[in-house]
C-alpha cells in the first residue's frame, strides 16, 4: 500500500481553521482543502485572514494560493500525441474526467475559439566574456531587429559596455534595469537565435531541449510572422491539425490574438499581499477581425472560449473599458478573484504553479474554492501538471466573476 500523504491546498481562505477531508482510495491520499467561508467581512483583518478590497470574502494573501504537488506529477515530456492528454472539466455543476479531444463535444456551433498565435523563439543562448567566462543569456523581449531585453546568468555580472562573444557574432551590454540587460547584437537577432539558440523550456523541465521539444513546445497554429514568445502558450499545445479541422467543421469559428509570453510567466509572486505584486508587462494584439468574430458568435448565442490564460489576458486587456475593442500594446493586467470578465465565457488551460499569477487568474474565473477542489482531485487522480501536462476546461462562475 502506498504511503499516505497529506496534500495541503492553500487555495482558499480558512473558515476559521475548518477543513474538508476527501479520501481517495486510488492513491491512499488525504487531501485537505481549506474552504473559503462566506464571511461577509468588511475590508479588515479578522482571525488572521485579510480580505481583498475588491470583494470582501476573497483572500488577498499570496500564501492562499500555495499547494503541495508531488514532483513526479510534473510532466517532463509531452503526451505521445497532442490531443491525447487528459482533460478535467470544471463547471458549477461539478467535475468530469476525460481526454482532451472531448473539447469537440464541449464546443458548440456558433462558439468562437480564440487562440494565441505567438511563435516561441529559441531564446536561450550561451556566450563567453573576453576573460573566457561562460554566460547564459535568456532573452525576454525583442526590442527591434538587433536589440533585446534579457536575463544573464554568470559567475560575475557583466558591466555596461562588455562585449559577449557568440561564435562569429557579438552582443554588447548597453544597460541594466530591474535585473534585465539591454543587449545589442552585431547581427539580426532572429536568424542568430535559430542558428545558435535552444528552446526555452521552463526550469521545472529537467532535460536538455531536443528536436522533439522544437516541435512540441510550439503550437501548430503559431504564426511564422509573429515570433516573440519565450514561453509557449501551453494550453494550445494540445491541439493538432485534425482536431482543429473537426472543430471548424462543427461550426465553431477560430479567431486569433497575439501575446508574446515573457519569462515573467515563470516568476513566483514574492510579495505577501497580492496587491503588492508588480505584474510583468507583455506585448499583445487583438485585431478587429477577432473582435468581429466574437461579437458575431455572441449575437448568435455562442460563447467566447479562450485557449489559455494568455488569450484571456489579451482579450480582457482589450475590454477594460467595458466592451471589446481592437487594440495592441503592452499589458500588465493582473487578474485576481473579484475581477469582472467582459469577454471570456469558457477557458481551456493547463494546471498552474503554486503562488503564480496564473493560478490566481483561474481562481478568479472559476471560483477559488472550486479550483482548490479541482486541483486536489487532479493530484489524487494523478493528472500531469504544468507546461507538458494535462488540461482543464473551465466554465465561468458567474457568481464569482462580478464587478
Amino acid at each position: 500500500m502506498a504511503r499516505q500523504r497529506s496534500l495541503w491546498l492553500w487555495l482558499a481562505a480558512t473558515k476559521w481553521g475548518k477543513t474538508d477531508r476527501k479520501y481517495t482510495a486510488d492513491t491512499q491520499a488525504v487531501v485537505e482543502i481549506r474552504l473559503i467561508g462566506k464571511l461577509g467581512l468588511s475590508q479588515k483583518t479578522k482571525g488572521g485572514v485579510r480580505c481583498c478590497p475588491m470583494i470582501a470574502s476573497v483572500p488577498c494573501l499570496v500564501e492562499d494560493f500555495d499547494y503541495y504537488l508531488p514532483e513526479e506529477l510534473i510532466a517532463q515530456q509531452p503526451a505521445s500525441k497532442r490531443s491525447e492528454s487528459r482533460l478535467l472539466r470544471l463547471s458549477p455543476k461539478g467535475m468530469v474526467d476525460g481526454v482532451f479531444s472531448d473539447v469537440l463535444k464541449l464546443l458548440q456551433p456558433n462558439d468562437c475559439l480564440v487562440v494565441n498565435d505567438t511563435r516561441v523563439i529559441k531564446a536561450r543562448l550561451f556566450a563567453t566574456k573576453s576573460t573566457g567566462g561562460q554566460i547564459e543569456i535568456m532573452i525576454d523581449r525583442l526590442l527591434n531587429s538587433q536589440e533585446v531585453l534579457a536575463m544573464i546568468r554568470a559567475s560575475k555580472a557583466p558591466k555596461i559596455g562588455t562585449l559577449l562573444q557568440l561564435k562569429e557574432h557579438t552582443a554588447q551590454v548597453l544597460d541594466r534595469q530591474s535585473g534585465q540587460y539591454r543587449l545589442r547584437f552585431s547581427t539580426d537577432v532572429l536568424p542568430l537565435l535559430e542558428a545558435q539558440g535552444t528552446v526555452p523550456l521552463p526550469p521545472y523541465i529537467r532535460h536538455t531541449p531536443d528536436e522533439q521539444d522544437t516541435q512540441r513546445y510550439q503550437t501548430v497554429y503559431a504564426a511564422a510572422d509573429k515570433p516573440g514568445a519565450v514561453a509557449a502558450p501551453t494550453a494550445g499545445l494540445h491541439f493538432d491539425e485534425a482536431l482543429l479541422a473537426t472543430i471548424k467543421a462543427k461550426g465553431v469559428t477560430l479567431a486569433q490574438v497575439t501575446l508574446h509570453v515573457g519569462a515573467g510567466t515563470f516568476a513566483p509572486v514574492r510579495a505577501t499581499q497580492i496587491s503588492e505584486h508588480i505584474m510583468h508587462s507583455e506585448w499583445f494584439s487583438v485585431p478587429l477581425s477577432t473582435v468581429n468574430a466574437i461579437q458575431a458568435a455572441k449575437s448568435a448565442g455562442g460563447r467566447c472560449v479562450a485557449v489559455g490564460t494568455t488569450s484571456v489576458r489579451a482579450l480582457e486587456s482589450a475590454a477594460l473599458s467595458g466592451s471589446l475593442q481592437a487594440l495592441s500594446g503592452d499589458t500588465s493586467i493582473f487578474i485576481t478573484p473579484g475581477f469582472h470578465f467582459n469577454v471570456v465565457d469558457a477557458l481551456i488551460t493547463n494546471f498552474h504553479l503554486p503562488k503564480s499569477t496564473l493560478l490566481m487568474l483561474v481562481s478568479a474565473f472559476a471560483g477559488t474554492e472550486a479550483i482548490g477542489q479541482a486541483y486536489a482531485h487532479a493530484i489524487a487522480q494523478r493528472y500531469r501538471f504544468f507546461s507538458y501536462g494535462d488540461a482543464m476546461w473551465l466554465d465561468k462562475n458567474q457568481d464569482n466573476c462580478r464587478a
Side-chain angles (χ1 to χ4, degrees), residues 105-170:
K105 296 182 290 186
L106 297 172
L107 289 164
Q108 300 300 320
N110 297 321
D111 282 346
C112 182
L113 185 69
V114 181
V115 301
N116 180 6
D117 64 0
T118 186
R119 177 167 286 274
V120 178
I121 59 176
K122 293 182 177 180
R124 184 171 281 112
L125 286 167
F126 295 92
T128 57
K129 293 187 287 187
S130 59
T131 59
Q134 297 295 308
I135 283 185
E136 180 181 342
I137 301 171
M138 177 63 183
I139 291 174
D140 183 45
R141 189 165 186 162
L142 302 174
L143 299 177
N144 55 50
S145 63
Q146 289 185 253
E147 293 187 8
V148 304
L149 288 178
M151 294 172 288
I152 288 179
R153 179 185 294 177
S155 58
K156 187 176 181 181
K159 297 178 180 179
I160 294 174
T162 299
L163 278 179
L164 308 177
Q165 195 70 40
L166 301 104
K167 297 183 180 178
E168 68 272 25
H169 301 294
T170 60

Side-chain angles (χ1 to χ4, degrees), residues 281-304:
S281 178
E282 295 165 316
W283 185 88
F284 80 101
S285 177
V286 177
L288 181 60
S289 58
T290 295
V291 174
N292 292 338
I294 292 172
Q295 291 174 344
K298 295 203 175 196
S299 295
R303 301 164 296 174
C304 173

Side-chain angles (χ1 to χ4, degrees), residues 95-300:
M95 288 177 278
V96 178
D97 297 305
V99 293
F100 190 79
S101 56
D102 291 341
V103 298
L104 183 60
K105 296 182 290 186
L106 297 172
L107 289 164
Q108 300 300 320
N110 297 321
D111 282 346
C112 182
L113 185 69
V114 181
V115 301
N116 180 6
D117 64 0
T118 186
R119 177 167 286 274
V120 178
I121 59 176
K122 293 182 177 180
R124 184 171 281 112
L125 286 167
F126 295 92
T128 57
K129 293 187 287 187
S130 59
T131 59
Q134 297 295 308
I135 283 185
E136 180 181 342
I137 301 171
M138 177 63 183
I139 291 174
D140 183 45
R141 189 165 186 162
L142 302 174
L143 299 177
N144 55 50
S145 63
Q146 289 185 253
E147 293 187 8
V148 304
L149 288 178
M151 294 172 288
I152 288 179
R153 179 185 294 177
S155 58
K156 187 176 181 181
K159 297 178 180 179
I160 294 174
T162 299
L163 278 179
L164 308 177
Q165 195 70 40
L166 301 104
K167 297 183 180 178
E168 68 272 25
H169 301 294
T170 60
Q172 184 178 26
V173 179
L174 300 181
D175 194 12
R176 183 183 184 184
Q177 292 183 350
S178 303
Q180 288 194 325
Y181 294 82
R182 186 184 182 105
L183 306 178
R184 180 189 293 134
F185 289 81
S186 59
T187 186
D188 285 353
V189 176
L190 288 173
L192 174 64
L193 294 179
E194 192 60 33
Q196 296 189 29
T198 60
V199 177
L201 293 177
Y204 47 76
I205 294 179
R206 304 295 174 82
H207 67 263
T208 301
D210 55 25
E211 185 56 35
Q212 176 182 244
D213 297 305
T214 301
Q215 300 297 321
R216 296 297 300 274
Y217 198 65
Q218 191 84 264
T219 63
V220 297
Y221 48 73
D225 61 346
K226 295 180 181 178
V230 301
T234 54
L237 299 179
H238 303 283
F239 289 91
D240 55 31
E241 291 89 345
L243 180 58
L244 286 170
T246 308
I247 287 170
K248 292 180 195 177
K250 188 175 181 177
V252 176
T253 301
L254 185 66
Q256 294 78 27
V257 297
T258 306
L259 187 143
H260 292 324
V261 190
T265 192
F266 300 122
V269 179
R270 292 188 169 89
T272 301
Q273 301 279 342
I274 290 176
S275 60
E276 297 169 351
H277 177 64
I278 299 175
M279 191 70 176
H280 60 283
S281 178
E282 295 165 316
W283 185 88
F284 80 101
S285 177
V286 177
L288 181 60
S289 58
T290 295
V291 174
N292 292 338
I294 292 172
Q295 291 174 344
K298 295 203 175 196
S299 295

